[in-house]
Amino acid sequence: MLKLKLLLNQQLANITRRLHNNFYLYLSALLTVLVLLDASLFHVGENMRDRAFDMMVKNRIMVPKPDSDIVIVDINEASLSAMSAEYGRWPWPRQVLGEFLENIEAQQPKAVVFDILFSDPDIYNPDSDAYFNEVIASTKNTFFPMLRLAEASDHLSQITPNMIPGIKRTGADQEGTAQPIAIVLPHLEAALNSGHLGTHNIYPDKDGIVREYRLWHDESGWILPSLPLAVASFTKENSETLPQNMLINWRGKPFTYQFVTFSDVYADMASKVKKRPANEFKDKIVIIGSTAPSLFDLKATAMAKAHPGVEILATAIDNVKHDDYLKVWRGKTPYILMSLALIWLTALAFFRNVDRDKVTRIFSSSQIILITLSYLAINFTNTYLDLTGPITWAILYFSVAKIYALANDRAMQRLLANDVESGKKGAAILLMPIMFETREPLSDSLLKKLQYKIEQCLQHRATVEILKGTQSGIWGLFSDMIIVSWAYAHDNEAEASQAVQDATKLGAQLNQLVQGTGIPEDTTARYTLHNGTLNTEKPMANQWRGLFAQAIIKLDILEGGTQ
């Protein structure tokens, strides 16, 4: 086991000596390749972004309030139960919805939006269908959904975009033949001809969570608007250019908006004695939909595992109306640029041998600041700073680089002891204490710069240790010191000669090394060389202390030091 440990330390030390600090550049190059591959193929950073977004938006302190002018008329379980005695199970005869719409319109709402797809005729109640169609024809502010099916079914459809009233081509693409699209349109003629149509498709992300709302579909130059976009265009609430996929700015958990129960409102309409306000829906955007679990219009969102689809629609209308959907700098390019910037800045700090404690403090602080900045932005602005992926790559780089640096230090520190204690190479030691004398103690960063420069100057294996001169009391008389030590076989003259040559060369370059580190000009550096022999059969600690004491006495008393 001892031999294996010695071998591992030797191999790590040899690798480090060959690589020097180039390891940090090689590591950053490797992570650069991984970032590019992830952005193109694996999309791990994208998944991390989604999880971070969910956590931040769900735990916001400053949550935007829902628009008080948006009211959801809820066909909930209570309504299904209350209406079942007279109208049976859902779907009810469309006369019910016609009467409801007629009474709502009498209160002059700004818009009435059905989140119900009327795709087929009511073959059992044709008169009911006809009545509902007449009521729709008498209104000018009623909106109906259409459902865009999967593109794989387009070849089975006979409907082209130019057949849908109100659908137009983009200004830049006015030519070409409309291609069939798979889409479900309202069966009711008045609803179709009104031109107040919009898709109500909800597209979850790959993990099944709804985070965005598609505001329009581009069908070869034909634009299919969503219901939120159609309502905003009609009410002139928003004239801004909107993205195709809008990151939803949630107003809170489910049932945050103003809800009224369909059966309660319907019963009050038929009652001679009205209990509800006569202008309850005046100038409101009224959305008629369902939260009943039995009607299966529940989606998983960043806010809840079961979010009513009608409230997702309400939130999207609210976002478009106020132009406060979440803006985010996203895509491959921002992700790559931010990731590489953090990786290479960290690599530069390690490569230039910046004080590791300082690097750790700065790196830790910077990551906390970036996360805090992202959290503050989503609380106080309508911006989501997507820094999760880049921060994760930076942490990965920092962790590997830190482990390498610590492992290398540990290997170099133990290499000398292993050489001696193994008995394989004997116990001859050459010590070179270097003392720096200044008015004020040197900082950790300056001493570490000196340590690094000395390590790079050496040609043969040695250990370089720092002894700080910041003790209290009489121990404060000690100056800052760096101890360089070589271990070699006591009967190996070649290794002994190499160690002496290494030490002599270091002594000759010492002043030059000191001048290039930023140490105060009045600093003096003194050193001496001291040989000793350790007996491997006796305790090492006592012998090392004695050898060190002899070297210090030689430096300060016997020789006065070599400058």
Side-chain angles (χ1 to χ4, degrees), residues 250-264:
W250 301 100
R251 281 10 185 182
K253 295 181 178 181
F255 299 98
T256 300
Y257 282 86
Q258 180 181 349
F259 278 80
V260 295
T261 300
F262 182 94
S263 58
D264 291 346

Side-chain angles (χ1 to χ4, degrees), residues 20-243:
H20 296 290
N21 275 15
N22 291 332
F23 169 83
Y24 302 114
L25 301 182
Y26 298 149
L27 178 61
S28 57
L30 174 61
L31 262 64
T32 297
V33 174
L34 293 179
V35 168
L36 295 175
L37 288 174
D38 180 62
S40 303
L41 300 175
F42 305 121
H43 308 294
V44 176
E46 183 178 343
N47 294 332
M48 290 187 292
R49 175 199 71 194
D50 292 340
R51 293 291 185 270
F53 171 76
D54 294 348
M55 182 184 67
M56 287 189 180
V57 77
K58 193 172 183 178
N59 295 282
R60 283 188 295 183
I61 299 174
M62 308 294 293
V63 182
K65 295 182 179 180
D67 191 329
S68 59
D69 288 336
I70 296 178
V71 181
I72 297 174
V73 178
D74 186 9
I75 303 174
N76 53 16
E77 293 290 353
S79 294
L80 295 177
S81 177
M83 304 282 287
S84 63
E86 185 173 356
Y87 298 106
R89 299 176 61 185
W90 179 266
W92 305 318
R94 288 172 183 164
Q95 179 182 349
V96 174
L97 297 175
E99 292 174 353
F100 192 88
L101 176 61
E102 196 170 24
N103 281 276
I104 288 290
E105 285 291 342
Q107 298 186 27
Q108 300 179 340
K110 184 173 292 185
V112 178
V113 183
F114 279 94
D115 190 28
I116 302 170
L117 186 63
F118 302 102
S119 58
D120 299 300
D122 187 346
I123 59 176
Y124 299 107
N125 298 283
D127 292 340
S128 180
D129 257 13
Y131 172 69
F132 189 27
N133 190 71
E134 289 178 5
V135 174
I136 294 170
S138 67
T139 68
K140 297 182 179 180
N141 62 345
T142 309
F143 293 80
F144 296 88
M146 50 186 177
L147 180 64
R148 177 63 165 102
L149 302 178
E151 293 182 3
S153 302
D154 284 353
H155 68 285
L156 302 175
S157 176
Q158 296 180 353
I159 300 174
T160 57
N162 59 319
M163 297 169 59
I164 305 174
I167 304 304
K168 300 178 181 179
R169 296 183 76 96
T170 59
D173 190 359
Q174 294 292 338
E175 299 180 359
T177 304
Q179 300 297 319
I181 58 173
I183 192 168
V184 179
L185 299 173
H187 165 71
L188 300 164
E189 183 179 356
L192 183 63
N193 293 334
S194 69
H196 293 165
L197 303 177
T199 60
H200 69 158
N201 294 67
I202 294 177
Y203 297 99
D205 290 337
K206 295 177 181 178
D207 58 358
I209 305 298
V210 175
R211 299 181 180 89
E212 297 182 329
Y213 201 97
R214 184 168 297 182
L215 293 180
W216 43 272
H217 294 73
D218 186 348
E219 305 295 345
S220 301
W222 295 84
I223 301 301
L224 296 180
S226 65
L227 277 176
L229 188 58
V231 172
S233 299
F234 174 79
T235 59
K236 309 298 182 183
E237 297 286 0
N238 192 331
S239 60
E240 301 291 333
T241 301
L242 297 169

